[in-house]
Amino acid sequence: MTPGLTAEQVLLLADEFCAAHRVQIRDFGALVAAATVPGAQISGIPVHAGTQAAGRAFAEAVIALEPLSDRNRDFAAVCRKVYLLMYS
């Protein structure tokens, strides 16, 4: 099973990132949606082949959903790095 992050964990990352880079959370729903991506399953079967693929999909979701007012690509890189540090 590929682990995921909780919405609360992603919110903590976003809060720290926003404070450091002077941006704001634009869409809390987008943060929650992005948080679900790494641990996504269908009928109990992970949709990602492993943690590397899940981390990449997590970053892509952040970029696509644009939860912050700016610097979403940078935030996506941070999310991916933290995810991989936690689960690799």
Side-chain angles (χ1 to χ4, degrees):
M1 181 173 105
T2 304
L5 295 172
T6 66
E8 290 81 7
Q9 289 171 315
V10 177
L11 177 60
L12 288 171
L13 286 174
D15 282 341
E16 291 296 319
F17 185 89
C18 287
H21 297 285
R22 296 184 170 183
V23 296
Q24 297 178 337
I25 297 171
R26 180 187 68 76
D27 187 340
F28 286 91
L31 279 180
V32 173
T36 67
V37 170
Q41 298 180 4
I42 297 174
S43 297
I45 300 170
V47 299
H48 304 292
T51 54
Q52 290 293 326
R56 190 169 39 257
F58 184 20
E60 290 170 359
V62 170
I63 291 167
L65 295 169
E66 297 182 332
L68 306 183
S69 60
D70 197 15
R71 301 193 68 164
N72 286 288
R73 286 190 179 276
D74 296 331
F75 180 56
V78 169
C79 288
R80 182 173 188 262
K81 184 174 184 174
V82 169
Y83 176 80
L84 292 175
L85 285 171
M86 289 177 68
Y87 295 112
S88 286

